Amino acid sequence: GSDEVPQRFARSEPLATLGNYNYTKYHPMPEITAWMEMVVKENPGVVSAEVYGRTFENKNITALKIGLNSTSSKKVIWMDCGIHAREWIAPAFCQWFVKEVKYQESKARCIVGMQAMILRTYKSDERMHTILNNVDFYITPVLNMDGYMYSWQNESTRLWRKSRSAPPAGCNCNGTDLNRNFNANWGMIGVSKDCCSDIYCGSKVLSESEADAVTSFVQSMKERVLCFLTIHSHGQLILVPYGYPEIQAPNYDELMQVAQKASEAIKSVHGMEYTVGTPPMVLYPNSGSSRDWARLIGIPFSFTFELRDKGEFGFKLPEDQIQPTCEEAYEGARSIINYVHDKNFPVKGGSVAAATAAFWTTLLASCLTSATFLTEARVPARKILGSGFCEVSEINQKPAVVTDKATADDLDERLTGPLLGDKQRGPEENHNAVIGPRHDRRQRFRGKDVFSQGCCSAFVLRVSVCHRELSAQARLSVHPAPAAKTRETRSWLTASADQR
C-alpha cells in the first residue's frame, strides 16, 4: 500500500528561489519543472524556455535556451538528459550544468566603484561570457518525462527504462527504448522487436513522440548545431559514433582526440577513469541512437556520456555521489565545448595566452590610478599542471617552466604552505597558491620565499597555461605604488611578451 512507498518517492520541496534548490539530491519531475521555471524567471535575457514537443502522455517537452541576446543567428550546442527513465544521475547533471553555465556567466559581470573593482575568477567567467556571445545552449533536463515520473512511483518501478507509450497490437507491455528509435540504422543491431524488452526499438522509426520531437527540433536548426551531447548512465564512458560495427564517422580521429581530452579533464577532478570509444569497441553494438543520428545529419561533434559508476550501484547511484559525478562530468563537457567553440570562433591575436596577458596588463595598470584595488581568486597550482606545461613568472623575474610532477610538487610545497598568522589549512586548501601583498605578514608563506618586491609594492604570480585552461581563483591585493616605481612599472607593462 501507499504506506510502504519510500519517503524519497513522495517528497515535494517548495522552491521559493534558486538559492534553496539542492543540486545534490535527486528531484521528482514537479520539482525539476518548478526549478526550470525559476531559472527562467531569475535570469531574464540569458535563459528562456522553449517547448518543442509533447510526450505520449501529453506533457510539454521543454528545453532551456541559455545564451546572450544577439541580432544575428547563433551557433548551437545541444544537450539532453534523462532519455532513459532510470538513469536519475543524468537529469541531475543537466541541472548542475545549467547552474554552472549560468553562474559562470553571471560572475563575468564586474562591480565597479569609486575605490574598488571586484573580478571573481575573471578568466573562467570571461571565457564563458564569450562562448555565450557566440553560442546558444539548448538543454533538455528530462527528455523521457513519462518514464522518469513512472520510475518515481515506487520501488518496483524504479528501474523503468523506456517511454510509456501504448503497446502494439497483441502485446501487453508499454514503452519503447527512445535511444533505439532514431533514424540511424534503425532496427538493425543491438535492438529487440519484442515489445516487452528494455531495448525494444518501436514499431517503426520515430514511432515515439519524444524521439520525433528531438528530430524535428534539431533538424530545423541543424546547420547551426555544432555539438550534440546526450547524457546517460552508467559505465563511465564517452562514446563516439557509430554504434554500428565497422562504420566510422568521417571525423573519427578528431572525435576520439576530443573525447580523450574530455576523459583526461574528468580524471583530473576526482581521479575517475572514463573509457573512450565507439559502442562496439567499449560497450556493445547498437543502432537507432540519437548520437548516431546527430552525426549522420551532419552535426560534426556528437557524444554520449555514460556517467558513474561501473556497476557497484548502477542506476541507483547514491545521492552522495551526485556532486562529484557532476563536477567531473562538467569538466569533461566543458573540455568538448571549449574545443568546439575555439574551432569555430578562433581567438583573435592567435591564442588564449595572449588574451590572458592582456587581462593581467589591464589588471596591473589599474592599480596605478586606483586608490584601492582588490580582487579575490585562488590558483590551484597542482590542478593546472596535469598536462603540457605551465609558465610561472613573477614581475621583473625570469619565468620558470614547470614540466613534471616532481617540479609541480616542489612548486606546491614552496607556494602553498600554511600562511603565517592564519589557522592551519586543510589538505585541499594547501594546494592553492595565494597571491597577496608582500608587506602583509599574514600573507607570507612558510618555506622558501620566492617572491620579490614588484608592481605597486606587491608581488604578483602570473600563470599562463599553454595546453589546458587555467580555472583561476586567486587572491590579489594591490596597493598604490610609490611615485618612484610608477615609471618602472609602466615600462614593464608596456614591454612586449618576448621582453617579459
Side-chain angles (χ1 to χ4, degrees):
S2 59
D3 292 340
E4 299 174 357
V5 177
Q7 183 62 36
R8 71 173 184 271
F9 292 104
R11 74 176 185 225
S12 182
E13 302 172 0
L15 183 63
T17 67
L18 289 177
N20 68 345
Y21 193 76
N22 192 339
Y23 291 91
T24 63
K25 300 288 184 184
Y26 295 120
H27 293 273
M29 198 65 227
E31 291 176 14
I32 296 175
T33 299
W35 168 82
M36 293 173 69
E37 293 170 352
M38 191 64 69
V39 168
V40 173
K41 179 182 177 181
E42 293 192 8
N43 296 275
V46 178
V47 185
S48 59
E50 188 156 348
V51 176
Y52 61 92
R54 290 184 177 275
T55 69
F56 174 78
E57 295 177 352
N58 207 33
K59 301 179 183 72
N60 286 339
I61 305 174
T62 305
L64 292 175
K65 177 185 175 184
I66 305 177
L68 299 176
N69 291 332
S70 174
T71 56
S72 59
S73 179
K74 294 170 65 179
K75 297 297 184 180
V76 168
I77 291 175
W78 173 273
M79 179 184 291
D80 66 68
C81 296
I83 194 171
H84 289 147
R86 62 192 178 189
E87 298 168 7
W88 287 9
I89 187 61
F93 173 72
C94 259
Q95 293 165 77
W96 185 279
F97 184 87
V98 169
K99 169 181 72 76
E100 288 298 307
V101 171
K102 179 179 63 65
Y103 178 56
Q104 296 291 346
E105 189 282 329
S106 65
K107 287 197 300 180
R109 303 167 188 170
C110 301
I111 303 173
V112 183
M114 292 288 290
Q115 295 184 330
M117 178 189 298
I118 299 175
L119 300 170
R120 297 185 59 190
T121 56
Y122 178 92
K123 183 180 176 183
S124 297
D125 300 342
E126 186 61 24
R127 180 160 181 75
M128 184 57 71
H129 193 83
T130 299
I131 291 174
L132 291 176
N133 267 322
N134 296 325
V135 172
D136 287 330
F137 290 89
Y138 282 85
I139 301 171
T140 305
V142 186
L143 177 56
N144 181 10
M145 284 187 290
D146 295 349
Y148 185 73
M149 293 180 73
Y150 185 68
S151 74
W152 274 84
Q153 281 192 7
N154 54 60
E155 194 64 51
S156 69
T157 64
R158 172 63 183 85
L159 294 180
W160 184 260
R161 169 184 170 100
K162 301 186 291 181
S163 68
R164 292 296 296 160
S165 58
C171 179
N172 296 320
C173 299
N174 290 74
T176 291
D177 184 347
L178 296 179
N179 207 39
R180 300 292 186 274
N181 197 235
F182 285 82
N183 191 12
N185 298 312
W186 177 82
M188 295 185 67
I189 194 170
V191 303
S192 174
K193 298 300 177 68
D194 177 1
C195 71
C196 293
S197 168
D198 271 351
I199 54 172
Y200 173 58
C201 61
S203 58
K204 62 180 181 179
V205 65
L206 298 181
S207 61
E208 306 307 290
S209 55
E210 296 87 351
D212 186 57
V214 171
T215 297
S216 297
F217 189 48
V218 175
Q219 187 90 35
S220 71
M221 54 184 179
K222 72 172 185 176
E223 302 302 327
R224 297 192 290 128
V225 181
L226 302 177
C227 183
F228 187 99
L229 300 172
T230 180
I231 313 300
H232 294 243
S233 78
H234 54 86
Q236 295 175 205
L237 308 170
I238 302 177
L239 302 175
V240 305
Y242 290 112
Y244 198 88
E246 300 178 6
I247 299 178
Q248 287 188 351
N251 61 336
Y252 168 81
D253 289 342
E254 184 180 24
L255 287 169
M256 287 292 290
Q257 290 168 9
V258 173
Q260 191 58 52
K261 287 292 185 182
S263 175
E264 292 168 7
I266 288 171
K267 185 177 180 180
S268 72
V269 181
H270 297 295
M272 285 294 177
E273 300 270 3
Y274 274 58
T275 304
V276 172
T278 63
M281 288 169 53
V282 299
L283 189 59
Y284 46 70
N286 57 49
S287 58
S289 71
S290 63
R291 174 202 60 249
D292 285 2
W293 166 79
R295 187 63 195 86
L296 284 169
I297 66 168
I299 297 172
F301 296 95
S302 180
F303 303 93
T304 299
F305 276 46
E306 297 280 357
L307 304 181
R308 290 192 191 185
D309 54 12
K310 290 191 173 183
E312 180 181 1
F313 296 102
F315 303 114
K316 295 184 177 182
L317 192 71
E319 289 183 327
D320 62 10
Q321 291 198 40
I322 292 176
Q323 181 169 337
T325 301
C326 291
E327 287 172 343
E328 65 198 18
Y330 177 77
E331 291 303 317
R334 192 172 70 163
S335 173
I336 293 172
I337 290 164
N338 284 341
Y339 179 89
V340 170
H341 174 270
D342 291 351
K343 181 173 182 175
N344 288 273
F345 301 93
V347 177
K348 294 181 180 179
S351 71
V352 174
T356 307
F359 162 64
W360 281 108
T361 299
T362 303
L363 180 73
L364 295 170
S366 299
C367 75
L368 301 176
T369 55
S370 301
T372 305
F373 189 104
L374 174 65
T375 183
E376 285 200 276
R378 284 188 183 276
V379 181
R382 178 168 296 145
K383 198 169 183 181
I384 65 174
L385 298 172
S387 65
F389 68 89
C390 74
E391 177 186 86
V392 180
S393 59
E394 301 160 53
I395 293 176
N396 298 326
Q397 299 257 342
K398 186 177 180 180
V401 178
V402 181
T403 57
D404 56 43
K405 186 177 185 300
T407 310
D409 289 343
D410 179 60
L411 180 69
D412 275 334
E413 181 180 347
R414 286 187 285 128
L415 300 187
T416 64
L419 303 181
L420 294 178
D422 275 352
K423 65 182 181 179
Q424 182 74 22
R425 297 178 158 222
E428 198 64 32
E429 289 269 14
N430 283 336
H431 295 291
N432 292 319
V434 179
I435 305 171
R438 179 78 154 56
H439 60 265
D440 184 347
R441 280 186 61 81
R442 293 187 310 106
Q443 301 301 320
R444 291 191 180 185
F445 295 98
R446 186 175 65 188
K448 185 177 179 182
D449 188 351
V450 298
F451 297 103
S452 64
Q453 293 282 54
C455 171
C456 309
S457 301
F459 61 77
V460 176
L461 174 68
R462 181 169 64 86
V463 180
S464 58
V465 180
C466 298
H467 296 302
R468 64 185 296 166
E469 182 175 313
L470 166 64
S471 178
Q473 291 184 335
R475 182 169 56 199
L476 169 66
S477 298
V478 183
H479 297 266
K485 291 196 176 182
T486 301
R487 283 191 295 275
E488 173 187 334
T489 303
R490 285 193 185 279
S491 174
W492 185 88
L493 290 169
T494 56
S496 70
D498 290 339
Q499 290 172 313
R500 296 201 296 271

